Amino acid sequence: MTAVSPSTGPRASSSTATEAQSPPRKRRDDTRVALMFIAPAALGLGVFLLWPLIRGIWLSFTDYNLLTPAEFVGLANYRRLIADPIFWDSMKTTVYYVVLNIGIQTVVAMIIALLMYRLTQSTLLRGLVLTPYLVSNVVAGLVWVWILDTQFGVGNQILSWLGIDPIGFFTDSAWAIPTIALVNVWRHMGYTALLIFAGLQTLPASVYEAARLDGAGEVRTFFSVTLPLLRPIMALVLIMTIIGSFQVFDTVAVTTAGGPANATNVLQLYIYDMAFDRFQFGYASAMSVGLLIVLGIITVIQYRLSRADTSDMG
Amino acid sequence: MSTTPVTPTDSVEPLTNPPERAEVRRRRKLPTPGKVLAWAVMIVILLITMLPFYWILRTALSTNPGLLSEPGSLTPPEFTTGAFERVLGMQSTDEALAEGGSGAELNFWRYLLNSVMVATLVTVCQVLFSAMAAYAFARLRWKGRDKVFALFLAGLMVPTVFTLLPNFVLIKQLGLIDTVLGIALPTMFMTPFAVFFLRQFFMGIPMEIEEAARLDGASRIGTFFKVILPLAASPIATLSILTYMTAWNDYFWPLMVSYTDSSRVLTVALGVFRAQSPQSGTDWAGLMAASLIAALPMFLLFMAFARRIVNSIGFSGIK
């Protein structure tokens, strides 16, 4: 996402340069048509994306409950945030979730992608792998709550056949976050695998030929050829999935609603709770800004890492 | 799939240790035990992927007392289509109670209609407006284009979740809380991704085609609708499907905006259904039946356009 290049080709950029110097050129200026074409999208961008961005940051410096006008309070919300143990707990919970979710998902997706790459190009198979991604987080969450129900779920039924005591997957505070992380791995692994698969297909076949001639085995080829070549793409995949993962809300909201005993109180849930149950929009906005900063830092770090030696591809 | 044969030279590989050896055999590609193992792993993954869907169906076709007495039965205990009838409002209260339903009215058709309205509104408007903007960026010459484009670029980096709270405040001020329009509005005009995705394709359309149309006297607007859009039908279809799915499956934003049945969409309704039933007496058959019906349109859409959707996943649009 961050790798979008703003260049529009030499023809276009040179023409804008000349237009900037002499605007009313008769030659070819589509400004009037262009304004018409761009108007709805620009309105959407301004009103529902850029303005909310500014407003969200502004609200984080205010005391606002939706009913009375927002009142500027300076850094009060941020001071409160730093001293709020629940905020830091939910930050920890979120990071724990992201580490589990992304760690497992990336490995599983890589395995699926490699298997598909090696075994078959079948669209049917790729379609099947993608199926969980078609259902909403809500449906995915509900299905697994039912399958893993402590008393009546088939998951625990299978465990009992194996002689294992029932596990409260969503009701035991030690299990809840790993379970939710796995539910989301289930939903997203196929999609992530297809992203990696698309990346694998861009790798030049010649390097595999060379590796084979050098007598490299499969594992060696994977770690010395595939993985380094795939690094820029993996970096992109990781940026996308990690940012998505930090925003986890739906699955938690329908499965545990933050419980048991705040064990799954992820950041988005706490923010939602603060805004819509306690009507503290100012403080909720400050926490949102906190998340925004975390996401920004992660993006920059990963972008740097992926750019560190792009010479891999050459 | 290439057919490069790999000779069995594992034994001479210098760095081989036991776990690596297992991997070596797993990804072997000739009809070796390795290939069999690879397929076995693939099948296990497919089972994990698909079995929950079977379980939804199996549960939806059972009665709740049956589900509780035979939790491990692979086929529906006490087979019935009652749960579907209950969800769709075609079952009497007595029957519903007998099968473990709550007996409460469930406005399923209303939620379905709301979901269709939101997803359709978002898709039609967002794709059209994004295409128009993409065309202006790809093909028109106008002052400030690069600056405006940079703004769209910046928009791409704003996590959606950050804009939800301020957008809620805005929608409330506009008096659109608890309306279908209020749910649709923020994503109706564009997403930066849609603009980039389409711009990429428009830039690939040969200039000559457009110029020929212009020489025939077509206006800019005429060229856009009669030449560019038909030529880009394929990416536009792909984008429309992806947009529809995203809008259909969205939960967080509609949860914020809708309070009553008048604007409640399916995802939110499912969450409410689940939250309102007591832990012990959840109507699982009904809930799974409702989940299945909620997911069905996406399955149908996917079956119709599977190849297109599967092939669209990659980096072409954003790289």
Side-chain angles (χ1 to χ4, degrees):
Chain A
M1 313 245 272
T2 37
V4 182
S5 116
S7 78
T8 49
R11 182 197 59 79
S13 50
S14 67
S15 85
T16 38
T18 49
E19 276 168 45
Q21 282 156 6
S22 50
R25 268 275 193 79
K26 196 78 188 129
R27 193 176 46 90
R28 196 189 137 194
D29 181 33
D30 306 317
T31 305
R32 200 178 294 165
V33 187
L35 284 181
M36 217 187 76
F37 270 81
I38 201 82
L43 180 79
L45 179 77
V47 175
F48 294 107
L49 227 160
L50 298 181
W51 165 238
L53 179 69
I54 297 163
R55 195 181 202 181
I57 295 169
W58 156 249
L59 281 178
S60 76
F61 295 104
T62 66
D63 197 358
Y64 185 43
N65 62 8
L66 277 182
L67 300 174
T68 51
E71 188 188 331
F72 184 77
V73 293
L75 288 171
N77 287 324
Y78 289 96
R79 274 196 289 272
R80 177 176 165 195
L81 182 149
I82 288 167
D84 181 357
I86 301 176
F87 171 80
W88 293 108
D89 264 357
S90 68
M91 185 62 103
K92 254 185 273 174
T93 306
T94 311
V95 171
Y96 178 46
Y97 163 82
V98 170
V99 168
L100 284 178
N101 176 240
I102 296 300
I104 299 167
Q105 178 174 294
T106 308
V107 172
V108 173
M110 179 70 94
I111 291 172
I112 298 175
L114 286 169
L115 286 172
M116 286 196 297
Y117 186 62
R118 285 306 214 180
L119 293 175
T120 171
Q121 299 280 339
S122 150
T123 308
L124 174 70
L125 190 76
R126 283 190 270 161
L128 287 178
V129 163
L130 196 63
T131 322
Y133 191 70
L134 304 178
V135 304
S136 57
N137 285 318
V138 174
V139 169
L142 291 176
V143 175
W144 284 101
V145 168
W146 167 231
I147 289 178
L148 299 177
D149 186 80
T150 317
Q151 272 182 289
F152 304 111
V154 69
N156 274 310
Q157 193 67 38
I158 294 170
L159 289 185
S160 80
W161 290 333
L162 299 172
I164 301 169
D165 285 340
I167 295 170
F169 287 100
F170 288 100
T171 49
D172 181 325
S173 50
W175 278 96
I177 278 290
T179 305
I180 290 168
L182 284 173
V183 168
N184 282 333
V185 168
W186 176 76
R187 182 167 180 263
H188 292 273
M189 66 186 183
Y191 180 79
T192 314
L194 288 191
L195 278 178
I196 300 173
F197 181 78
L200 283 172
Q201 286 184 316
T202 64
L203 302 186
S206 55
V207 294
Y208 285 106
E209 197 70 5
R212 190 181 62 82
L213 289 175
D214 287 348
E218 292 276 331
V219 174
R220 229 180 118 75
T221 309
F222 174 72
F223 283 105
S224 333
V225 179
T226 311
L227 208 51
L229 285 178
L230 210 53
R231 187 149 84 188
I233 280 163
M234 285 312 291
L236 213 58
V237 170
L238 280 173
I239 292 177
M240 285 165 63
T241 52
I242 289 178
I243 288 179
S245 190
F246 260 100
Q247 302 178 18
V248 62
F249 175 83
D250 303 1
T251 320
V252 182
V254 297
T255 57
T256 61
N262 272 351
T264 58
N265 189 26
V266 291
L267 206 48
Q268 276 309 322
L269 205 69
Y270 189 43
I271 293 173
Y272 177 82
D273 187 53
M274 196 55 74
F276 290 90
D277 285 346
R278 295 189 238 176
F279 301 104
Q280 301 184 8
F281 271 72
Y283 186 45
S285 300
M287 290 195 285
S288 279
V289 172
L291 182 62
L292 190 68
I293 292 169
V294 171
L295 294 181
I297 293 171
I298 289 169
T299 310
V300 170
I301 292 175
Q302 286 192 311
Y303 194 61
R304 285 274 164 79
L305 286 181
S306 71
R307 284 290 141 122
D309 29 19
T310 37
S311 56
D312 276 359
M313 199 56 154
Chain B
M1 185 170 70
S2 73
T3 49
T4 330
V6 179
T7 45
T9 50
D10 290 337
S11 48
V12 286
E13 195 179 314
L15 290 170
T16 313
N17 55 36
E20 278 191 354
R21 287 193 65 86
E23 283 252 356
V24 168
R25 264 187 276 118
R26 182 143 55 85
R27 283 203 313 276
R28 191 41 116 223
K29 58 202 279 286
L30 273 187
T32 55
K35 189 157 184 177
V36 175
L37 195 61
W39 272 111
V41 173
M42 196 72 221
I43 286 165
V44 169
I45 288 168
L46 284 180
L47 285 179
I48 294 170
T49 304
M50 300 308 292
L51 279 183
F53 293 108
Y54 172 70
W55 211 248
I56 302 179
L57 187 65
R58 172 260 186 204
T59 306
L61 291 172
S62 312
T63 66
N64 284 302
L67 289 173
L68 303 191
S69 59
E70 292 177 70
S73 156
L74 291 180
T75 51
E78 304 181 18
F79 181 91
T80 169
T81 54
F84 288 99
E85 289 162 26
R86 181 157 68 249
V87 166
L88 298 176
M90 299 186 295
Q91 196 179 41
S92 72
T93 312
D94 289 344
E95 279 177 298
L97 289 173
E99 288 182 5
S102 68
E105 190 75 22
L106 184 69
N107 241 332
F108 193 84
W109 291 104
R110 176 80 226 188
Y111 310 142
L112 189 68
L113 179 69
N114 287 339
S115 276
V116 169
M117 289 204 303
V118 168
T120 308
L121 207 55
V122 167
T123 306
V124 171
C125 296
Q126 187 198 105
V127 172
L128 174 66
F129 295 150
S130 297
M132 285 164 54
Y135 180 68
F137 286 128
R139 280 298 162 81
L140 299 180
R141 301 180 187 190
W142 46 288
K143 256 192 299 173
R145 180 177 70 178
D146 293 354
K147 280 179 195 137
V148 177
F149 191 65
L151 275 182
F152 275 79
L153 249 170
L156 196 62
M157 303 197 194
V158 181
T160 21
V161 82
F162 186 79
T163 58
L164 295 184
L165 278 187
N167 267 335
F168 171 80
V169 176
L170 183 61
I171 292 293
K172 188 169 172 66
Q173 286 167 341
L174 291 174
L176 291 173
I177 289 298
D178 207 18
T179 64
V180 166
L181 185 63
I183 300 175
L185 208 56
T187 43
M188 248 172 70
F189 295 96
M190 58 111 228
T191 62
F193 171 77
V195 175
F196 282 108
F197 184 80
L198 291 176
R199 174 178 165 270
Q200 204 81 4
F201 285 97
F202 290 166
M203 292 203 319
I205 296 173
M207 264 315 206
E208 292 75 28
I209 297 178
E210 212 183 326
E211 272 157 15
R214 299 272 293 151
L215 284 178
D216 287 348
S219 66
R220 277 277 164 206
I221 298 166
T223 317
F224 174 70
F225 283 104
K226 293 197 187 108
V227 180
I228 299 289
L229 283 191
L231 280 174
S234 173
I236 286 177
T238 305
L239 182 70
S240 303
I241 296 162
L242 295 177
T243 308
Y244 202 89
M245 279 172 45
T246 309
W248 185 270
N249 286 336
D250 196 15
Y251 175 70
F252 201 178
W253 173 250
L255 177 71
M256 286 182 175
V257 177
S258 87
Y259 292 121
T260 66
D261 282 0
S262 68
S263 74
R264 185 167 288 163
V265 294
L266 277 173
T267 47
V268 177
L270 287 172
V272 171
F273 190 168
R274 147 90 177 140
Q276 279 177 350
S277 46
Q279 192 66 36
S280 54
T282 306
D283 175 8
W284 284 111
L287 197 52
M288 290 297 111
S291 296
L292 200 61
I293 303 174
L296 197 63
M298 296 305 103
F299 289 142
L300 295 177
L301 204 61
F302 186 61
M303 274 189 237
F305 300 103
R307 188 173 296 272
R308 188 185 287 285
I309 298 173
V310 161
N311 290 334
S312 75
I313 297 172
F315 300 91
S316 53
I318 39 175
K319 196 178 175 181

